[in-house]
Amino acid sequence: MPVSLLWAVDVYGRVYSLSTAGQQWEQCRDAQMEFKRVTAAQQCCWGIACDNNIYLNVHASDLPVRYQEETYENQRWNPVDGFSERLLPSDRWQWSDVTGLQHQPLDSFQLPSSSWEWEGDWYVDENFEGEPTEKGGWSYAIDFPATYTKDKKWNSCVRRRRWLRYRRYKAMDTWAKIPSQQTTLPDPFSDISCGGWEISEEPRGRLSLWAVSLQGKVWFREGIYHHNPEGSSWEEVLLPGEVVQISCGPGDLVWAVLWEGQLIVREGISRDCPKGSSWAVVESPSPDVGAIHVAVGINVVWAVTKDNKDRAVYFRQGVTSSELSGKTWKAITVPRDGDRSHSSASANSLQRWIGLSGHTHTPHYICALLKSGCHAASASPESFVDVPTDSSNPPADPPKPRIPKVTSDSFISELVSDREPGKSSRDIGSAPPAVPEEESIPGEGEDKAPCAGSALSPSQSGGPLDPQWSNVDLEEAQQAQTVAAQDAADTCSLSSVATYTLAMEDPYGADEHPLWAWVSGGGCSVDTLVSSVQSMSLSVSPAQTAAWRRQIFEQLSERTKREMDNFRHYEQAIEQSVWVKKGTMQWWRDWKPHKWIDVHFALEQFSGPDGNKDGILFIYYNYYEEKKYLHAFINEVTILVPVLSDSKHTFAIYTPERTKQRWPIRLAAATELEMHDWLALLSVSCCDSRGIHGPPSKQAIWSITCKGDIFISEPSPGLEAMPYPTPCDQMFWRQVGGHLRIVECNSVGIVWGIGYDHTAWVYTGGYGGGFFQGLASSTDNIYTQTDVKSVYIYENQRWNPVTGYTNRYCTRLTPPFVLSHLTKCVVSDWTIDYSVSGGTDREGWQFAADFPASYHGYKTMKDFVRRRRWARKCKLTTTGPWQEIPPIPLSDVTILPCTAQSSVDVVPVWAISNKGDVLCRLGVTAVTPAGSSWLHVGTDQPFKSISIGAASQVWAIARDGSAFYRGSVSAQSPAGDCWYHIPSPAKQKLKQVSVGRTSVYTVDENGNLWYRQGVTPSYPQGSSWEHISNNVRRVSVGPLDQVWIIADKVQGSHSLSCGTVCHRLGVQPMEPKGQSWDYGIGGGWDHVTVRGNSVEPPRLRLPSLTDPSTRSPVPVRNTEVNGVGS
Amino acid sequence: MADDKDVLRDVWFGRIPACFTLNQDEVTEREAEPYYLLLPRVSYLTLVTDKVKKHFLKVMRAEDVEEMWFEYEGTPLKWHYPIGVLFDLHASNNVLPWSITVHFKNFPDHDLLHCPSNSVIEAHFMSSIKEADALKHKSQVVNDMQKKDHKQLWMGLQNDKFDQFWAMNRKLMEYPTEDGGFRYIPFRIYQTMSDRPFIQKLFRPVSSEGSAHTLGDLLKEMYPDAITNDGEQKRYQVVIHGIEPLLETPLQWLSEHLSHPDNFLHICVIPIPTD
């Protein structure tokens, strides 16, 4: 989980931030201004300074904020001048926008504020709809406005070209003033709240910012998104009264407090209308006193009332996305402590309350600020109250946290009066949960770091106390989200269990530590799991290198040498006997009609004649009352693969024969646990029989199934041999823990993966994890991994004249959607998915003439059916040899394939962010495979695939399906200098590229595999595309120029498989295109990478295809077997 | 980097080459050939010598055969010590193979326990495991196991099934993270120079100050002579499974990784040969 920040302001207006990776509050040194209030999102923090202007602090990232300005130059042909800027009076401007309606000369473009700078000068865009144009970038048409083509024809009378210029937001990590609009904003702002990042993923980084002016007006900042972090303008929002304070949640919840004490709720907020449409009034929690403060999260609302004597905190019940204003108030009260001097006790109760509110899928936490006089002496982070706030599950047992009642009045105005020396022991803000280090923070003795206390010290109560409880201000209840802000991938834990260590005021003077005035946790996201794992791993690593451990390893191997090596011909004292494990399972029977039948399952293990352990699998079944069995030798099993199934826990067993048939042995266990037990046992047995132990070699071939499971295979020396390579249906695959969508490797052992939620992961060198327990898994290098996968269902409706669209007459109803083993990890409700290919209308519907057909996003006369896609996110938590590389989510990655001899020190790694930015990773070596930082490589459009070849030749595919070659990439210039546009194969949009030693292969969206002809060292772009194959989903070209693909529609003797690993045969230096395909494991595979396999095949060697030992040349530890029978 | 799991394998699959010769006093019908065997270090002599017995019985008359026992250079070998311990204690500095004399007469009742059948070995083995778990977890783990789990441990040892044994033994090696280790470390210190069979006392893996106890800490308390002080000539070897771990090795780690299948850490203190 990426590092995120908690922001706070102290009573002197100084701004501090506390990083989830840090250990103390850092003062924002560059803030010249004093601030009143801050509100944070993940990527930025907004604040109101004492000059009443609004300031923005955008967090620096490896990805710059770049905005592309464009304008069009238009010309018309006349017989005298040819094409010239002399246009007809009825024509558009010589310089215009794309529509021609706006006059846009180059010099009319100004930087929007002093926070921006130009990246370079204007230049002509020479790409046209994914195709390179002739010099000059012109496209031609008969007339304006018309269809433009890149070729000049006899009737081309007009032409135009696009000019581009980038500006870059430069005011990173500093407070930049938002230009004010004096004409429309006569009065200063008094409150500000940002949120709304969960409403829509588009445009990227979109935020809602709400502000309240001193006159009680509410303003909405329009147009805030990633490329325009400052937003464009303030829009006044009409109100039923005067507002004092507003709070905006991460979703569609916006509440405000009126002067009169009622609350108002914004309604009509949606992805099309983030500003909402109207207000609904909610009465104050107490009939006598009005509310003074409100704080919202996702489906959570808290309020504080005004009563001077008996200020109370209320929780709003029944707030859901369909009923934003909720149902009733629930008071959260505690009797005020009679003895005020018991501050520590009170503080405990406060702390307990401060905890957090549980939510079904996202934790919220509430930062409460208790001002003046409340000692928040910190106890051990034990007691927190999870307040159930799930809309569908209103708290049956109302939350019983206790909070001290508070008196006195409002917030900012209170600051000065509170600052009486000697009485000013006040509470401090809160630190993010579950940062264990918090507890050991030393009081720095200066105003920088508040002492985040760990022990409840009785002396606290003896400190100078203000006997008055002053007030409690609830500030943010924004949930902590990181990925969600951009990607809506919920990464937070299911039930929010977190611990707050409340920073503690110590009995020193008020000036020594910040006295907090305001805190905002909107951008802060905390994962308890991750922190604890990290702290664990820290304690393990030093021991790994300890001298005593090395000594033991060395002595044990010496002992083996001394006591056993000369005596291996001796007889073993214990004869190996057979060990049988039995169980019951269901089997997908081989004969028709296919169905699940109950079978007995047995694994018999014994030692083979060569000392290797071996075994036989038996499946006993009944065939017409007759008992029969099916068996498979463990040493012939090539893979055990968990299969995605909606209701059963199933896995498949393949042998080379079964792979040819495309018909594995499919088994289903009664429970997931049982299946994992069997898989772990069988897997160990298979590895034993092949003498495979420990981590994969650097040459390993990695692949991923559509379920996200990761498999590795050790390439035999004969795998790329000519003319008789090892058939790839004989490859043995074993699973490693983790859940990924993409994995890429190279031959120095650097392996990167990308999860379904676009998180980047680096391989740690371990093995096992997941369901591999105990001995099949390495002790260290295994970490918790989470991934978020979306599951979809389609809602289908048919139109009829009476009722319009309805599902009543629809024969193709969505089947009941059961995800029994996934439901436990569901982290979001079903939501309409608007990102379906083909587009949708405002409600997410797609239309078609009939099922099944091609759908479009608008209704026409001929459309009688419609469908829409619902998405739901499932979070998986597993373990595996992977560590996260925050913070940028990726969609593709490539690592330079090294040849066996090469000694590359720094390994080039390129990646595409999930938004299409091209990135170059710096500092990647075999020792530090994660590298250090990203270097952004500018492009004119988003990219989707990238690959780097052995000679640093970088090829990439843009989202529009065109190919690019990056020039001059070298060790000295890791990012190269410019992109060369390579025309796509005719009428095809490319999808993916892979570059090996010299070969360049691409796959297009129609499943065609293309080879780049004419690539030479002097002309690395090549000359043309040659069609190689169809039904290809993905290609991986290795450092030997070996070509492997994932193919669809592979016909076996029993069945057809999609998603099959295939190997190109006959690839030779003089014949890089090869001759035919050899079909390996599948279907159901999504990804393969052979870029680690740089083992040159032995020359003229005829591999013996039956000897299993040739298939597993890798780290073998079989101390127990070598002595036998030799 | 080797993995700790590999240590478990190395420990389990440790073998000692042995040459069994029949005692010359035994009456035979014809001359008995010596018998060569690789003995598992972690097993028990009487459990793995069926073949030896069968071999020598071929040359003997049935009426001359009593209970078989073993002797090395005049010392009767206690079958209820693991083979590796017997070897390290008595023969580690001599040439291999380990030459063991086989007797079928004159059973030394005062030195050895009788071992009429494998069930006696099983009972001894299981009682060791239970004793060790009493020290480690107040017997909670072993008592939570079912009869078949106990059987799995025994069968794993008897049939030399590493995976089978460790699938169950793993549970005996767990402990709450916050405790930092077992309650007490089950250990036995053997010495050749003493009449006492072995030293076994209560010893915690973590000191009262919270630091991890090492092998050196244990010896300092139990057997200070075994430690070589500064300036002294080394007099003793501290041997576990035929190796000499550094004295700073954490005791908890040793207990988890270098214990015998009976869950005890068997430590041999052997005088360094003077010649």
Side-chain angles (χ1 to χ4, degrees):
Chain A
M1 174 162 288
V3 170
S4 55
L5 297 175
L6 181 76
W7 290 83
V9 182
D10 73 1
V11 292
Y12 303 109
R14 292 178 294 221
V15 181
Y16 295 83
S17 63
L18 177 64
S19 160
T20 52
Q23 309 213 343
Q24 58 190 27
W25 289 95
E26 295 283 346
Q27 192 181 344
C28 224
R29 291 286 176 199
D30 74 337
Q32 305 294 321
M33 211 58 70
E34 288 166 5
F35 278 77
K36 292 176 175 175
R37 204 164 273 211
V38 289
T39 177
Q42 188 215 344
Q43 67 270 37
C44 63
C45 184
W46 298 79
I48 304 176
C50 290
D51 64 358
N52 292 321
N53 278 307
I54 291 194
Y55 286 76
L56 169 65
N57 189 332
V58 178
H59 307 336
S61 148
D62 289 336
L63 273 185
V65 173
R66 307 165 82 223
Y67 188 91
Q68 177 185 285
E69 298 279 16
E70 65 166 31
T71 189
Y72 283 85
E73 181 182 5
N74 305 303
Q75 291 191 343
R76 180 173 282 282
W77 188 85
N78 71 56
V80 184
D81 308 309
F83 279 105
S84 79
E85 58 231 43
R86 264 187 260 161
L87 295 152
L88 296 177
S90 61
D91 279 342
R92 53 187 61 187
W93 309 95
Q94 190 209 334
W95 294 91
S96 74
D97 68 351
V98 64
T99 61
L101 302 173
Q102 284 280 334
H103 182 44
Q104 283 187 344
L106 293 181
D107 55 10
S108 70
F109 287 86
Q110 301 292 325
L111 291 173
S113 75
S114 57
S115 302
W116 293 86
E117 64 188 2
W118 291 111
E119 257 187 11
D121 206 349
W122 288 98
Y123 66 94
V124 170
D125 177 20
E126 300 196 339
N127 305 322
F128 177 73
E129 293 174 353
E131 303 261 332
T133 60
E134 299 302 313
K135 215 66 188 144
W138 293 103
S139 59
Y140 297 85
I142 299 172
D143 196 4
F144 302 113
T147 320
Y148 297 87
T149 62
K150 75 187 181 83
D151 301 314
K152 185 159 80 169
K153 299 190 186 122
W154 62 271
N155 60 355
S156 297
C157 294
V158 298
R159 65 176 187 178
R160 69 171 187 182
R161 60 178 173 180
R162 187 163 80 131
W163 288 76
L164 298 177
R165 190 180 194 186
Y166 287 94
R167 55 180 158 90
R168 183 188 289 258
Y169 189 80
K170 64 177 181 184
M172 294 288 192
D173 275 345
T174 181
W175 291 99
K177 187 171 161 181
I178 300 298
S180 60
Q181 301 153 304
Q182 289 303 334
T183 49
T184 53
L185 294 179
D187 59 333
F189 286 121
S190 64
D191 188 28
I192 189 169
S193 180
C194 77
W197 49 79
E198 289 203 336
I199 295 173
S200 167
E201 294 171 29
E202 294 297 331
R204 161 192 185 189
R206 204 204 63 78
L207 282 183
S208 298
L209 181 70
W210 299 79
V212 178
S213 71
L214 278 180
Q215 290 179 4
K217 292 180 177 166
V218 167
W219 303 82
F220 180 81
R221 186 78 182 169
E222 290 279 355
I224 304 174
Y225 61 101
H226 174 75
H227 293 296
N228 193 22
E230 300 164 298
S232 46
S233 62
W234 291 105
E235 295 275 323
E236 188 173 351
V237 180
L238 295 177
L239 289 169
E242 285 180 15
V243 165
V244 277
Q245 186 257 330
I246 196 161
S247 177
C248 172
D252 52 4
L253 215 51
V254 176
W255 282 55
V257 181
L258 297 180
W259 271 113
E260 292 75 22
Q262 304 103 314
L263 296 113
I264 51 175
V265 184
R266 192 67 178 170
E267 293 186 327
I269 292 176
S270 69
R271 60 191 294 278
D272 298 311
C273 182
K275 206 171 106 179
S277 52
S278 60
W279 295 101
V281 177
V282 172
E283 284 307 313
S284 162
S286 153
D288 312 322
V289 285
I292 191 163
H293 201 102
V294 66
V296 304
I298 297 178
N299 297 354
V300 210
V301 176
W302 299 82
V304 182
T305 51
K306 232 182 248 193
D307 191 318
N308 281 343
K309 286 218 167 59
D310 218 14
R311 175 168 296 189
V313 176
Y314 291 85
F315 173 75
R316 185 74 175 172
Q317 291 185 324
V319 176
T320 68
S321 51
S322 55
E323 195 171 356
L324 296 169
S325 43
K327 292 192 166 67
T328 52
W329 290 107
K330 179 82 203 169
I332 311 287
T333 52
V334 333
R336 192 192 317 190
D337 287 329
D339 181 0
R340 295 269 176 65
S341 69
H342 269 308
S343 62
S344 51
S346 320
N348 276 344
S349 29
L350 166 73
Q351 188 191 16
R352 225 170 281 140
W353 173 79
I354 276 177
L356 22 116
S357 57
H359 189 267
T360 41
H361 47 90
T362 44
H364 299 263
Y365 53 82
I366 294 179
C367 304
L369 274 189
L370 200 61
K371 293 182 47 249
S372 120
C374 168
H375 259 289
S378 149
S380 57
E382 11 94 298
S383 47
F384 291 104
V385 180
D386 274 7
V387 185
T389 54
D390 179 16
S391 49
S392 63
N393 182 17
D397 183 25
K400 293 196 188 73
R402 308 191 304 156
I403 183 151
K405 290 186 187 170
V406 282
T407 55
S408 152
D409 53 25
S410 76
F411 194 12
I412 297 284
S413 61
E414 189 63 11
L415 291 179
V416 180
S417 63
D418 280 347
R419 271 153 68 171
E420 293 159 50
K423 303 175 68 178
S424 55
S425 317
R426 271 170 233 130
D427 109 288
I428 306 297
S430 45
V435 184
E437 293 87 347
E438 277 304 308
E439 300 194 13
S440 57
I441 293 179
E444 288 281 284
E446 48 164 281
D447 60 350
K448 194 170 161 194
C451 178
S454 57
L456 171 59
S457 150
S459 69
Q460 290 303 315
S461 53
L465 286 180
D466 184 335
Q468 283 292 314
W469 291 103
S470 170
N471 73 5
V472 167
D473 272 295
L474 275 170
E475 206 255 309
E476 295 289 343
Q478 289 167 352
Q479 58 87 44
Q481 269 291 344
T482 48
V483 186
Q486 292 185 344
D487 207 13
D490 276 340
T491 55
C492 293
S493 56
L494 250 156
S495 68
S496 46
V497 179
T499 54
Y500 267 98
T501 309
L502 205 64
M504 169 179 67
E505 174 66 5
D506 54 14
Y508 305 137
D511 289 342
E512 306 221 351
H513 294 286
L515 305 171
W516 298 119
W518 195 264
V519 60
S520 173
C524 186
S525 92
V526 180
D527 192 326
T528 52
L529 205 56
V530 169
S531 344
S532 63
V533 166
Q534 278 165 352
S535 60
M536 249 167 59
S537 71
L538 283 176
S539 67
V540 169
S541 46
Q544 292 299 322
T545 54
W548 57 262
R549 186 185 305 256
R550 262 204 324 273
Q551 161 100 351
I552 284 173
F553 290 152
E554 283 164 13
Q555 289 198 14
L556 278 172
S557 63
E558 272 170 32
R559 187 195 76 175
T560 304
K561 210 179 288 172
R562 185 174 69 233
E563 295 180 353
M564 290 165 68
D565 275 5
N566 293 325
F567 305 97
R568 296 211 180 266
H569 56 286
Y570 278 30
E571 193 180 339
Q572 289 282 352
I574 302 175
E575 295 293 340
Q576 288 296 313
S577 52
V578 176
W579 182 42
V580 184
K581 185 173 163 81
K582 291 177 179 166
T584 54
M585 270 197 241
Q586 288 193 308
W587 173 54
W588 187 251
R589 70 182 191 188
D590 275 341
W591 63 90
K592 287 181 178 169
H594 298 300
K595 65 172 187 183
W596 291 104
I597 57 170
D598 291 330
V599 294
H600 289 279
F601 188 81
L603 169 66
E604 287 190 19
Q605 286 182 287
F606 48 84
S607 286
D610 56 350
N612 266 2
K613 281 204 245 170
D614 209 339
I616 308 178
L617 267 177
F618 292 95
I619 294 163
Y620 300 95
Y621 59 92
N622 286 317
Y623 184 73
Y624 298 114
E625 309 295 315
E626 190 187 344
K627 284 195 174 165
K628 291 191 143 197
Y629 71 89
L630 177 84
H631 73 278
F633 292 101
I634 283 294
N635 67 13
E636 289 182 353
V637 170
T638 54
I639 193 168
L640 304 150
V641 47
V643 177
L644 197 61
S645 164
D646 49 2
S647 57
K648 285 183 184 302
H649 309 284
T650 67
F651 62 99
I653 299 174
Y654 282 90
T655 61
E657 188 57 33
R658 294 266 170 184
T659 303
K660 284 192 189 77
Q661 295 171 350
R662 304 284 146 205
W663 188 263
I665 301 171
R666 287 182 65 188
L667 294 160
T671 65
E672 189 172 23
L673 186 69
E674 211 172 291
M675 180 178 82
H676 287 166
D677 277 352
W678 273 110
L679 279 175
L681 177 72
L682 290 168
S683 179
V684 167
S685 190
C686 288
C687 287
D688 277 346
S689 79
R690 292 164 188 266
I692 296 175
H693 295 289
S697 71
K698 292 169 179 172
Q699 266 68 44
I701 295 171
W702 295 71
S703 69
I704 295 176
T705 67
C706 57
K707 204 169 158 282
D709 292 323
I710 306 154
F711 288 88
I712 44 177
S713 178
E714 299 295 345
S716 71
L719 191 59
E720 301 295 340
M722 282 293 295
Y724 301 115
T726 312
C728 62
D729 55 19
Q730 292 190 358
M731 293 167 69
F732 173 68
W733 297 89
R734 59 178 168 142
Q735 193 172 353
V736 293
H739 189 267
L740 295 174
R741 189 174 57 84
I742 282 179
V743 65
E744 284 296 329
C745 63
N746 82 346
S747 56
V748 299
I750 297 168
V751 185
W752 282 49
I754 300 174
Y756 277 80
D757 61 359
H758 299 289
T759 307
W761 301 89
V762 68
Y763 173 64
T764 60
Y767 58 95
F771 56 76
F772 295 101
Q773 305 285 317
L775 302 157
S777 183
S778 56
T779 335
D780 47 335
N781 291 327
I782 296 292
Y783 303 94
T784 301
Q785 190 193 22
T786 59
D787 202 356
V788 176
K789 200 173 177 177
S790 290
V791 289
Y792 302 102
I793 57 169
Y794 284 95
E795 179 186 3
N796 299 306
Q797 292 189 343
R798 180 177 292 279
W799 188 85
N800 72 69
V802 184
T803 56
Y805 280 108
T806 167
N807 54 23
R808 256 185 84 188
Y809 302 99
C810 177
T811 51
R812 289 177 52 88
L813 268 176
T814 315
F817 198 73
V818 188
L819 272 173
S820 50
H821 60 293
L822 281 177
T823 40
K824 62 169 181 258
C825 59
V826 162
V827 289
S828 71
D829 289 333
W830 288 106
T831 52
I832 297 168
D833 182 10
Y834 297 91
S835 57
V836 192
S837 72
T840 69
D841 74 354
R842 282 170 60 100
E843 289 178 315
W845 293 106
Q846 293 189 303
F847 300 87
D850 198 357
F851 300 114
S854 68
Y855 295 88
H856 40 261
Y858 48 89
K859 185 182 166 0
T860 67
M861 290 295 290
K862 284 180 272 182
D863 293 329
F864 288 97
V865 297
R866 66 176 185 178
R867 67 168 189 187
R868 61 179 167 183
R869 191 161 81 165
W870 293 76
R872 181 170 217 184
K873 293 195 166 63
C874 289
K875 179 174 171 180
L876 300 97
T877 302
T878 179
T879 57
W882 305 97
Q883 272 191 311
E884 184 177 350
I885 305 174
I888 299 178
L890 302 182
S891 65
D892 195 18
V893 68
T894 180
I895 305 167
L896 181 104
C898 308
T899 50
Q901 307 84 18
S902 72
S903 57
V904 188
D905 191 19
V906 176
V907 179
V909 172
W910 288 62
I912 310 274
S913 82
N914 70 330
K915 301 301 179 188
D917 306 283
V918 177
L919 302 161
C920 183
R921 188 73 175 175
L922 304 178
V924 177
T925 66
V927 186
T928 56
S932 52
S933 62
W934 291 110
L935 184 67
H936 181 255
V937 179
T939 58
D940 289 338
Q941 56 174 318
F943 277 41
K944 60 183 176 186
S945 172
I946 195 157
S947 186
I948 183 169
S952 290
Q953 64 276 45
V954 174
W955 287 69
I957 306 292
R959 289 248 173 105
D960 67 5
S962 54
F964 286 86
Y965 174 79
R966 183 78 181 170
S968 306
V969 179
S970 66
Q972 290 73 40
S973 165
D977 59 2
C978 63
W979 293 105
Y980 295 94
H981 193 162
I982 312 287
S984 312
K987 298 197 184 92
Q988 300 295 345
K989 284 184 185 305
L990 294 177
K991 187 170 80 173
Q992 189 238 326
V993 62
S994 187
V995 189
R997 184 162 52 192
T998 54
S999 293
V1000 180
Y1001 279 85
T1002 56
V1003 176
D1004 69 29
E1005 285 176 355
N1006 293 320
N1008 296 303
L1009 179 68
W1010 301 89
Y1011 170 75
R1012 187 68 179 169
Q1013 284 279 15
V1015 173
T1016 64
S1018 57
Y1019 194 64
Q1021 297 97 313
S1023 52
S1024 62
W1025 295 106
E1026 182 175 340
H1027 188 258
I1028 303 293
S1029 192
N1030 55 4
N1031 290 326
V1032 177
R1033 198 187 282 179
R1034 194 171 177 94
V1035 64
S1036 178
V1037 185
L1040 308 171
D1041 276 340
Q1042 71 268 42
V1043 182
W1044 290 67
I1045 57 161
I1046 302 291
D1048 281 335
K1049 296 182 186 162
V1050 170
Q1051 181 66 53
S1053 56
H1054 283 55
S1055 168
L1056 179 96
S1057 75
C1058 289
T1060 306
V1061 175
C1062 301
H1063 176 204
R1064 189 74 177 166
L1065 299 180
V1067 174
Q1068 295 181 76
M1070 298 311 292
E1071 193 163 352
K1073 290 174 288 183
Q1075 286 149 351
S1076 60
W1077 295 109
D1078 183 26
Y1079 303 105
I1081 193 66
W1085 258 252
D1086 268 357
H1087 187 96
V1088 66
T1089 180
V1090 295
R1091 294 166 68 83
N1093 184 15
S1094 61
V1095 182
E1096 297 277 354
R1099 284 165 192 243
L1100 295 173
R1101 179 178 171 279
L1102 298 181
S1104 79
L1105 302 181
T1106 50
D1107 179 4
S1109 65
T1110 60
R1111 274 179 261 142
S1112 48
V1114 250
V1116 176
R1117 288 190 58 92
N1118 41 4
T1119 46
E1120 79 272 35
V1121 294
N1122 289 347
V1124 187
S1126 61
Chain B
M1 188 72 205
D3 193 82
D4 285 353
K5 299 273 163 51
D6 299 332
V7 173
L8 302 181
R9 280 182 178 274
D10 280 351
V11 164
W12 182 273
F13 292 107
R15 296 286 187 268
I16 297 165
C19 169
F20 290 90
T21 45
L22 191 62
N23 180 25
Q24 289 172 344
D25 298 346
E26 304 283 340
V27 182
T28 59
E29 293 186 315
R30 56 177 189 273
E31 198 186 343
E33 298 280 326
Y35 195 80
Y36 297 92
L37 208 56
L38 279 176
L39 300 175
R41 269 182 164 272
V42 296
S43 193
Y44 298 96
L45 267 179
T46 43
L47 186 61
V48 296
T49 48
D50 283 351
K51 290 175 181 177
V52 177
K53 191 173 184 178
K54 216 181 281 174
H55 172 81
F56 290 117
L57 287 184
K58 279 189 281 189
V59 298
M60 295 181 72
R61 283 186 313 201
E63 58 265 36
D64 294 330
V65 175
E66 293 165 31
E67 185 175 348
M68 181 173 66
W69 59 281
F70 304 96
E71 163 249 305
Y72 171 72
E73 292 186 345
T75 312
L77 296 175
K78 295 183 169 69
W79 65 261
H80 63 282
Y81 289 1
I83 292 168
V85 172
L86 292 172
F87 177 78
D88 292 341
L89 206 54
H90 302 300
S92 58
N93 291 311
N94 294 359
V95 284
L96 292 169
W98 183 20
S99 131
I100 298 174
T101 310
V102 182
H103 295 260
F104 286 96
K105 273 198 300 217
N106 304 325
F107 192 89
D109 289 298
H110 55 283
D111 286 324
L112 301 184
L113 300 173
H114 283 279
C115 180
S117 73
N118 282 356
S119 61
V120 177
I121 312 172
E122 180 180 356
H124 166 72
F125 173 72
M126 287 315 300
S127 74
S128 287
I129 284 191
K130 286 173 186 166
E131 184 182 349
D133 199 56
L135 294 168
K136 289 197 283 192
H137 309 109
K138 295 184 183 171
S139 300
Q140 279 163 357
V141 180
V142 80
N143 287 346
D144 282 352
M145 287 182 175
Q146 297 174 344
K147 183 76 189 143
K148 73 173 172 64
D149 299 337
H150 291 173
K151 207 73 188 171
Q152 182 171 339
L153 287 167
W154 167 247
M155 296 303 282
L157 178 73
Q158 189 181 13
N159 299 327
D160 194 25
K161 297 290 186 203
F162 174 77
D163 296 330
Q164 186 180 356
F165 176 81
W166 268 100
M168 196 49 64
N169 198 49
R170 194 159 52 87
K171 297 182 184 166
L172 293 166
M173 291 297 174
E174 287 167 356
Y175 55 87
T177 325
E178 61 270 21
D179 291 1
F182 303 136
R183 248 174 97 245
Y184 297 103
I185 298 290
F187 72 94
R188 283 170 185 171
I189 299 176
Y190 300 83
Q191 43 195 330
T192 42
M193 313 308 290
S194 162
D195 290 337
R196 294 174 61 189
F198 47 73
I199 302 169
Q200 180 180 344
K201 290 178 183 167
L202 294 182
F203 195 78
R204 292 191 186 268
V206 181
S207 71
S208 50
E209 293 88 48
S211 61
H213 273 140
T214 65
L215 180 60
D217 296 335
L218 176 77
L219 290 169
K220 214 174 288 167
E221 192 159 331
M222 303 296 158
Y223 199 158
D225 283 355
I227 298 173
T228 312
N229 296 314
D230 289 342
E232 276 181 355
Q233 178 117 33
K234 187 176 169 188
R235 289 176 298 153
Y236 292 100
Q237 288 177 299
V238 177
V239 177
I240 307 172
H241 287 292
I243 65 169
E244 289 184 77
L246 293 178
L247 292 182
E248 62 257 35
T249 311
L251 203 56
Q252 173 66 29
W253 190 93
L254 282 176
S255 183
E256 286 171 57
H257 295 88
L258 292 192
S259 283
H260 275 263
D262 65 4
N263 276 248
F264 273 88
L265 189 60
H266 296 272
I267 304 165
C268 299
V269 179
I270 328 163
I272 288 186
T274 42
D275 46 35

